[in-house]
Amino acid sequence: MKNLLKNVSFVILLMKMCLIFGQEIDVQKRIVIDVGHGGKDAGAIGINGIQEKDVVLSIANEILRLNDDLDKPLDIYLTRYSDTLISLSDRTKLTKALNADLFLSLHCNHSDNTDARGIEVYASRKHGKFSKPSVFIGYQIERALCKAVGYESRGVKFANFQVLSETIDYCPAVLIELGFLSNRDEASYISDNNIKPIALSILSSIQNQ
Ligand SMILES: [Zn+2]
């Protein structure tokens, strides 16, 4: 009888452990996708008239749609879900309040030189120090985008943009410039509704990080 009780408590302990492990496995990473600009702030205007604020919102919404189809979707929040302007500090406050595992800011580039092209990723460098996880995920996303979409790589650079410098002490944080709207090829690529491969590359990079 004593042995039976021992066995029963062992089985209960085992079940509890499975439950705890199961819960840990099921906890999905929480990602904040910062959708650049919005409302009266259109961001860059493309050579073909497309607006940065619309491009990044479509890509972010596509990431959400693709994420919903995953067996284990990530816990993704956007800083805006519609065409509204959110202050930079509200974007970073949301990231802290949600205790995010990753902050990803989406933008498109613009240059007076219409030949400028490619993907640029930014991470923050504070007091001469940079966050290795930020640079790592930045490289992953850039590499995935270049491979899937054929964009040129302009590398991972450092810049203390407000959204990065205010989030970097809490979680890995990167800002991606998804091609140049001032470049005819890249602007027309993105307006030809090729947002799905872009969204998919970003989602699979953050999923595998
Ligand atoms: Zn921008």
Side-chain angles (χ1 to χ4, degrees), residues 129-178:
K129 284 186 183 168
F130 63 87
S131 132
K132 279 185 190 163
S134 303
V135 173
F136 181 74
I137 184 67
Y139 271 120
Q140 299 290 317
I141 297 172
E142 198 196 35
R143 209 170 49 184
L145 281 167
C146 292
K147 202 173 157 192
V149 183
Y151 276 141
E152 279 174 29
S153 162
R154 298 173 65 93
V156 177
K157 302 176 176 181
F158 295 104
N160 284 323
F161 295 129
Q162 188 181 338
V163 287
L164 294 182
S165 64
E166 287 182 1
T167 47
I168 195 63
D169 293 331
Y170 298 87
C171 61
V174 287
L175 183 146
I176 316 172
E177 297 278 6
L178 296 158

Side-chain angles (χ1 to χ4, degrees), residues 79-141:
T79 52
R80 66 179 177 93
Y81 290 84
S82 59
D83 184 18
T84 47
L85 182 60
I86 313 285
S87 76
L88 295 179
S89 58
D90 280 348
R91 294 167 195 247
T92 61
K93 272 182 205 155
L94 176 79
T95 308
K96 292 174 208 169
L98 287 171
N99 205 11
D101 296 304
L102 175 68
F103 175 84
L104 195 63
S105 188
L106 301 184
H107 287 260
C108 296
N109 236 328
H110 192 277
S111 168
D112 289 340
N113 173 8
T114 54
D115 289 334
R117 54 165 63 227
I119 298 267
E120 229 164 40
V121 175
Y122 286 94
S124 166
R125 184 162 52 190
K126 263 186 175 175
H127 316 298
K129 284 186 183 168
F130 63 87
S131 132
K132 279 185 190 163
S134 303
V135 173
F136 181 74
I137 184 67
Y139 271 120
Q140 299 290 317
I141 297 172

Side-chain angles (χ1 to χ4, degrees), residues 155-205:
V156 177
K157 302 176 176 181
F158 295 104
N160 284 323
F161 295 129
Q162 188 181 338
V163 287
L164 294 182
S165 64
E166 287 182 1
T167 47
I168 195 63
D169 293 331
Y170 298 87
C171 61
V174 287
L175 183 146
I176 316 172
E177 297 278 6
L178 296 158
F180 283 76
L181 299 186
S182 45
N183 178 282
R184 195 162 292 282
D185 290 344
E186 292 187 352
S188 63
Y189 177 84
I190 237 168
S191 25
D192 285 345
N193 225 4
N194 287 309
I195 53 168
K196 192 172 179 183
I198 297 176
L200 195 58
S201 304
I202 296 172
L203 180 63
S204 25
S205 308

Side-chain angles (χ1 to χ4, degrees), residues 11 18 27 65 115 144 176:
V11 169
C18 287
V27 171
R65 261 192 299 275
D115 289 334
I176 316 172

Side-chain angles (χ1 to χ4, degrees), residues 11-82:
V11 169
I12 291 173
L13 184 71
L14 207 67
M15 280 166 68
K16 274 187 184 167
M17 279 172 71
C18 287
L19 207 69
I20 292 166
F21 274 120
Q23 278 172 352
E24 277 179 1
I25 290 163
D26 278 334
V27 171
Q28 291 300 303
K29 286 183 202 112
R30 182 167 290 170
I31 318 286
V32 170
I33 295 184
D34 175 36
V35 187
H37 310 278
K40 64 179 180 186
D41 173 14
I45 307 291
I47 197 164
N48 54 359
I50 53 170
Q51 302 185 73
E52 180 182 358
K53 64 171 186 176
D54 298 329
V55 173
V56 287
L57 183 59
S58 314
I59 293 171
N61 278 327
E62 186 65 19
I63 294 174
L64 285 184
R65 261 192 299 275
L66 294 168
N67 185 53
D68 282 345
D69 291 342
L70 295 178
D71 286 341
K72 287 187 175 175
L74 298 168
D75 196 13
I76 300 181
Y77 293 82
L78 306 187
T79 52
R80 66 179 177 93
Y81 290 84
S82 59

